[in-house]
Structures are given as C-alpha cells and as structure tokens.
C-alpha cells in the first residue's frame, strides 16, 4: 500500500473521528445547557408566582381556598410574559381551567408533564412534545402545594422554536469549522506526504538505475536538509564509491595482467634462446635457466598473494596463539635482510631485550610485516635506511617501520589502504598489499596508521594489544 493511502487510512481517519467526537460533544452539551436555561427560567417564574401568591393572600388576610383560587386566576389573567409563555391552571384531572392566552388551546394539551408531576417527589413534571401545529414546546407542570379548590396544578408552556434555531445555527457554524479543520489537515498532510513521496520515487528510480550498473547517475540535491536530503546524499556517495571501486577493479585486472605478462614474456624469450643453444655448459644457457627460475618464483609469489587475498575476502581465518612479538619481528628482519643487502638498503633494527607477548596468528603476522617491509624496500633508494622499531606501552605494542623513500602524495595517503589502490608513485604491484595488512591487523584487534611526507619517507605503525591473560581465540 502506498504511503499516501496508509496516511489517509491512519492519520486522516483519526483526525476525522476526533473532530466528529468533539463536534458531537459540543452540540450535545450546547443543547443540554440551552434547554436547561429554558427549564430554569420556567421554574424561576413558578417561584415568583408562588411568592406573589403568598403576598396577595396575606394582604387580603383571608387564607381561604377561595381567596387563593381567585388570586391565582387573577395572576393568569394578568400574566405579563404572555408572548413567551403560556401560563395555565389545571384541575385534578389535568384539564385546563384557565390560560393566559385567554383561550383554551387544546393543541397545547399534553398530560405527560401533569402525570409526571403527580408521581414526582417535588411535585413538578416536564415534557417536550410537538403541538398540533408542528411547534416543539417545553411544558412544565407544578402541583399547587396547598388546596386551591378545583385548581390542582399550574403549567407553563414555552416554544422551543427559537432555541432550536439557535442550536441549528451553532451546528452549522461548528460543522463549518470542523470541515475547515479536516480540509486543512488533509491539504497539509497531502503537501507533506508529496514532499516525501516524490523525492522517494526519484530515489527509487535512481537506485534501480545504479543497481542495473549505471554508476554515473546522480540525484539532484534536494531542497531540504532532512532525512530525504541525507538519503539522496548517501545514495550519491554510494554510486560514487561503487564507481571508484569499479574503476580500481578494472585497473587491478589490467595491472595484474601486466604483472603476469612481464615474467611470462621473459620466460618465453629465454626458452627460445636456450632451445637454440645445445650446450648446457654455455653461459647464456645457465643464465637463461636461472632467470626462468627467478621469474617462475615471481609468478608463484604473485599468484600466492592473489589467492591469499581472495581467501581473505571470505573472512579472515586466524589461528591465534600467544607468541613473543620480538622473536617474530626478528625472524622477519632476518628474512628480508638478504633482499635489502641486494638492493643496497640498510636495516636499522635493535632487538629489544624483553619479550613482548601478543595474541596473534604467526603466519598472518609474518605476512603483514613482510608486506609492509616489501613496500618500504620497493620505494626506498639504494643507500637509504629502513628503521624497524618495537615500542611497548602499558596496553599496546607498536611496530614502526619507517623508510626514507619517495613517500606518498597527501591525496593518495587516505586511499592507500583501499583494495586495488595504487598510488601515483606506484611501482609494480596489485594494490592489495596494505588492504590485506589492514584486514589482518584489524582482525587481531589492532590498528594500522600510515604517515608520509612526499620525498622524505613513509612510516607505517602497527598497533597490537598486549597479551596479558589467557583468552579464548576469537571466533572464526
Ligand atoms: P601493492 O601491493 O601494489 O604494493 P599496497 O596496497 O601495498 O599495494 O600499496 C598501495 C600504494 O601505496 C602503492 O601503490 C604505493 O603508491 C603506496 N605505498 C605503499 N607503501 C609505500 C611506501 N613505503 N612508500 C611510498 N609509497 C607507498
């Protein structure tokens, strides 16, 4: 279901229901309070009449039934609010004896209020009904509290037409307000939803294009700096990164193919040369065999590196154990020494006296150190020095490998740890060495930091945590 439909069902329906509930409550309470007002005013009139009756009777000084009856009849005749109320006297059967209108209007006749008054404790009863002329009226009957001959009750009847008109007007006005509220919330909701749904549809279309492989598409920057705006930026960034990875992958394939082709060309050339020489004692024959051997080694190492890398991509498998880092580093230093001598590069390494225990996979650790030292040698000039140092702190140990080589350009520095990345200064290589280093070191809970100054040299610092207490090997 679309977001708009969901909102219409959820949000708007709730608003409509809330507005309707408020509307019903408002109209009901208005009606009750207005009808109560009419009731109160009738009851007020009854009290006034009773009070006047008391005064009249005490003035005539004859508390006889006749005097009361007379006084009441006179009050009906002289009733001053004839326009608004019909004042009547009823006999014990509820029949009208006299009425302020002067005529006995039979269509006002309803005995319900009289019957209720007879039953009620306070002697009053009321009813709302429609007259024969179709007019809604409120009729209140009050039994006279003392004997007045044939007069048993007083009744006051008033029309509800004006009150009903006023209530209708309130209803119209409040319905109008309610429609405006619902309309405004509908419009503002739709506007708001459009501001989300439309950009989202664009994001969806662009993401589909990216998924199909079009990495050049970009979303236009949105007008707002909100979640949708940020989503657009993230999608753009994702497309950018995917494009970058794609380019680096292509570069990687071409550089690896090139790297593989160079030794193969050399092997092929030498095979042709030595197959033309019959004498195995010939100097060129021997040289050719030696070179073929070297190139085959180079190929083997390269393929090994690639296989290693592809294995790492499926998750780093570590076989960690507690080992002495000093011994491992010294081992690697001895391993690279002959190659450094060959290249005329000096190694500055003072073996620390104390053991440095770490929790690591010895083969992977060796691979890390060889990779970093290999880079240092590759980018160093003959005669320069590579400094290899171990610094032990409370919780961590740092292996620093500093060369005096050509250094890395500042804008390349942040990318050198990415897979397939080769810097502007790059020598042969596939661009995966440092990516592998970082992956292995991170898996050993360590960190790799590279600083470099173009033309002055590069420092690679590997941090590893000290191994202090027996611990389970990390889950593999
Ligand atoms: P590779 O396996 O091709 O050597 P790396 O991931 O090891 O790739 O290195 C990536 C890039 O970082 C290299 O192409 C090079 O530009 C740069 N680099 C790495 N180490 C050094 C260093 N010691 N001195 C100068 N540049 C370096």
């Amino acid at each position: 279901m679309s977001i708009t439909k969901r909102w219409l069902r959820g949000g708007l329906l709730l608003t409509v229901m809330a507005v309707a509930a408020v509307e019903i409550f408002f109209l009901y309470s208005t009606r009750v309070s207005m009808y109560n007002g009419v009731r109160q005013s009738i009851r007020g009139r009854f009290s006034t009449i009773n009070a006047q009756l008391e005064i009249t009777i005490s003035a005539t000084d004859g508390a006889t039934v006749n005097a009361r009856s007379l006084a009441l009849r006179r009050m009906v005749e002289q009733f001053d609010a004839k326009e608004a109320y019909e004042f009547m006297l009823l006999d014990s059967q509820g029949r009208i004896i006299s009425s302020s209108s002067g005529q006995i209007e039979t269509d006002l006749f309803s005995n319900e209020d009289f019957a209720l008054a007879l039953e009620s404790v306070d002697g009053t009863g009321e009813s709302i009904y429609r007259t024969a002329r179709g007019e809604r009226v409120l009729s209140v009957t009050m039994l006279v509290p003392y004997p007045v001959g044939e007069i048993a009750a007083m009744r006051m009847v008033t029309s509800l037409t004006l009150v009903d008109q006023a209530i209708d007007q309130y209803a119209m006005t409040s319905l109008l307000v309610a429609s405006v509220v619902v309309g405004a919330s509908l419009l503002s909701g739709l506007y708001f939803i459009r501001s989300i749904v439309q950009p989202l549809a664009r994001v969806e279309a662009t993401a589909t294009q990216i998924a199909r492989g079009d990495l050049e598409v970009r979303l236009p920057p949105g007008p707002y700096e909100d979640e949708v705006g940020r989503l657009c930026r993230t999608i753009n960034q994702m497309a950018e990164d995917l494009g970058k990875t794609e380019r680096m992958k292509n570069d990687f394939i071409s550089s690896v193919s090139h790297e593989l082709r160079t030794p193969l060309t050399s092997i092929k050339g030498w095979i042709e040369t030595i197959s033309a020489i019959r004498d195995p004692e010939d100097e060129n024959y021997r040289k050719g065999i030696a070179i073929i051997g070297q190139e085959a080694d180079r190929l083997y190492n390269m393929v090994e590196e690639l296989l290693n890398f592809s294995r790492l991509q499926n998750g780093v498998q570590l076989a960690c154990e507690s080992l002495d880092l000093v011994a491992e580093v010294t081992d690697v230093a001895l391993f690279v020494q002959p190659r450094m001598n060959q290249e005329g590069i000096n190694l500055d390494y003072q073996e620390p006296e104390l053991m440095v225990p770490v929790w690591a996979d010895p083969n992977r650790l060796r691979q890390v150190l060889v990779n970093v030292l290999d880079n240092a040698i590759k980018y160093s000039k003959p005669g320069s020095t590579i400094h290899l140092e171990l610094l032990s702190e409370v919780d961590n140990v740092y292996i620093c490998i500093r060369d005096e080589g050509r250094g890395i350009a500042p804008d390349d520095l942040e990318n050198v740890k990415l897979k397939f990345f080769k810097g502007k200064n790059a020598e042969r290589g596939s661009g995966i060495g440092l990516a592998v280093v970082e992956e292995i070191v991170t898996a050993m809970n360590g960190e790799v930091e590279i600083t470099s100054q173009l033309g002055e040299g590069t420092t690679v610092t590997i941090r590893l945590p000290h191994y202090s207490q027996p611990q389970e090997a990390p889950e593999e």
Side-chain angles (χ1 to χ4, degrees):
M1 203 196 312
S2 75
I3 293 180
T4 316
K5 273 194 192 146
R6 280 216 304 272
W7 173 75
L8 282 174
R9 283 211 184 154
L12 192 64
L13 196 71
L14 219 69
T15 313
V16 170
M17 274 159 57
V19 169
V22 170
E23 176 85 16
I24 289 168
F25 175 74
F26 169 73
L27 287 178
Y28 175 75
S29 52
T30 308
R31 190 185 143 95
V32 167
S33 82
M34 288 180 88
Y35 277 26
N36 274 345
V38 177
R39 262 182 213 115
Q40 291 310 321
S41 77
I42 291 181
R43 281 167 193 263
R45 284 200 173 267
F46 277 139
S47 312
T48 320
I49 289 164
N50 278 339
Q52 273 180 3
L53 199 61
E54 290 291 329
I55 297 165
T56 321
I57 289 163
S58 48
T60 52
D61 203 21
T64 62
V65 172
N66 266 348
R68 283 184 185 149
S69 168
L70 220 69
L72 260 176
R73 281 171 193 274
R74 206 172 301 132
M75 264 182 219
V76 171
E77 279 158 24
Q78 293 169 1
F79 186 58
D80 57 351
K82 284 185 187 147
E83 299 300 310
Y85 303 93
E86 176 92 36
F87 181 29
M88 307 168 196
L89 298 175
L90 307 179
D91 67 9
S92 57
Q93 300 302 306
R95 285 187 296 260
I96 302 166
I97 302 167
S98 115
S99 168
S100 60
S101 64
Q103 54 200 11
I104 306 211
E105 293 215 27
T106 45
D107 68 339
L108 280 182
F109 186 82
S110 157
N111 256 348
E112 197 190 338
D113 49 332
F114 179 69
L116 286 171
L118 288 179
E119 280 165 23
S120 82
V121 187
D122 66 348
T124 56
E126 61 180 64
S127 70
I128 293 172
Y129 57 94
R130 220 172 259 286
T131 64
R133 281 180 295 175
E135 193 178 9
R136 265 163 58 80
V137 292
L138 172 68
S139 166
V140 184
T141 294
M142 181 185 251
L143 301 180
V144 283
Y146 31 73
V148 199
E150 58 171 345
I151 301 169
M154 306 181 278
R155 168 186 278 162
M156 198 82 74
V157 179
T158 185
S159 164
L160 289 175
T161 308
L162 285 177
V163 176
D164 284 346
Q165 267 174 9
I167 292 173
D168 284 352
Q169 241 165 29
Y170 277 128
M172 291 303 291
T173 316
S174 63
L175 261 175
L176 199 76
V177 171
S179 332
V180 169
V181 168
V182 171
S185 82
L186 177 74
L187 285 181
S188 74
L190 282 180
Y191 173 76
F192 173 68
I193 283 182
R194 273 166 74 90
S195 76
I196 293 175
V197 169
Q198 282 186 344
L200 268 188
R202 268 207 311 273
V203 169
E204 190 196 0
T206 311
T208 312
Q209 260 176 292
I210 293 172
R212 287 205 189 108
D214 182 358
L215 301 178
E216 297 305 315
V217 284
R218 293 290 180 271
L219 283 159
Y224 309 111
E225 191 33 45
D226 54 9
E227 284 83 350
V228 178
R230 284 199 292 276
L231 176 67
C232 290
R233 270 215 314 277
T234 310
I235 299 249
N236 282 346
Q237 185 62 45
M238 185 187 77
E240 184 87 19
D241 290 351
L242 279 175
K244 208 158 136 190
T245 312
E246 189 70 17
R247 278 193 299 280
M248 286 205 288
K249 229 174 198 164
N250 292 339
D251 289 354
F252 168 73
I253 292 170
S254 79
S255 79
V256 166
S257 318
H258 183 76
E259 295 283 327
L260 292 173
R261 203 176 55 186
T262 317
L264 280 176
T265 316
S266 158
I267 290 172
K268 231 176 125 214
W270 277 104
I271 286 178
E272 273 171 26
T273 313
I274 56 177
S275 55
I277 307 170
R278 300 266 165 244
D279 181 8
E281 295 304 315
D282 188 289
E283 197 188 328
N284 276 343
Y285 189 94
R286 284 155 169 251
K287 194 176 160 197
I289 295 282
I291 290 178
I292 288 173
Q294 278 168 18
E295 296 293 12
D297 280 350
R298 211 167 122 189
L299 276 177
Y300 180 85
N301 287 338
M302 207 179 303
V303 172
E304 192 65 12
E305 190 189 359
L306 291 174
L307 278 175
N308 239 322
F309 171 72
S310 103
R311 263 186 239 124
L312 273 182
Q313 293 313 290
N314 301 326
V316 189
Q317 304 280 311
L318 293 181
C320 287
E321 57 189 74
S322 160
L323 42 89
D324 175 20
L325 187 65
V326 175
E328 299 298 322
V329 172
T330 308
D331 245 21
V332 174
L334 287 173
F335 173 75
V336 295
Q337 187 77 64
R339 201 181 133 204
M340 292 179 73
N341 290 344
Q342 218 176 19
E343 308 255 344
I345 298 164
N346 309 310
L347 178 66
D348 168 27
Y349 172 57
Q350 308 293 327
E351 183 177 347
E353 283 172 11
L354 290 176
M355 275 176 62
V356 178
V358 289
W359 184 257
D361 176 332
N363 290 329
R364 296 296 189 191
L365 182 63
R366 191 183 169 86
Q367 189 185 354
V368 164
L369 297 172
V370 168
N371 266 354
V372 177
L373 280 165
D374 187 59
N375 276 345
I377 297 168
K378 215 158 51 174
Y379 297 104
S380 286
K381 292 177 286 296
S384 68
T385 304
I386 292 174
H387 307 265
L388 173 59
E389 207 178 351
L390 266 177
L391 294 167
S392 202
E393 276 187 3
V394 188
D395 297 322
N396 296 298
V397 55
Y398 298 87
I399 311 162
C400 299
I401 297 157
R402 179 163 65 84
D403 63 56
E404 297 166 354
R406 62 179 77 162
I408 305 169
D411 52 336
D412 279 351
L413 197 56
E414 56 185 284
N415 295 322
V416 288
K417 287 194 275 183
L418 296 178
K419 296 179 228 182
F420 315 132
F421 180 84
K422 289 177 77 176
K424 288 189 268 294
N425 61 354
E427 290 274 332
R428 68 198 148 71
S430 48
I432 53 178
L434 288 176
V436 168
V437 165
E438 166 133 294
E439 242 167 285
I440 295 174
V441 173
T442 310
M444 292 183 193
N445 297 325
E447 230 172 18
V448 181
E449 198 193 288
I450 303 174
T451 53
S452 187
Q453 201 74 48
L454 207 55
E456 284 182 21
T458 304
T459 306
V460 179
T461 310
I462 298 162
R463 176 184 69 75
L464 283 176
H466 268 304
Y467 173 64
S468 48
Q469 63 205 38
Q471 68 182 83
E472 292 287 312
E475 254 178 53
E476 288 173 7

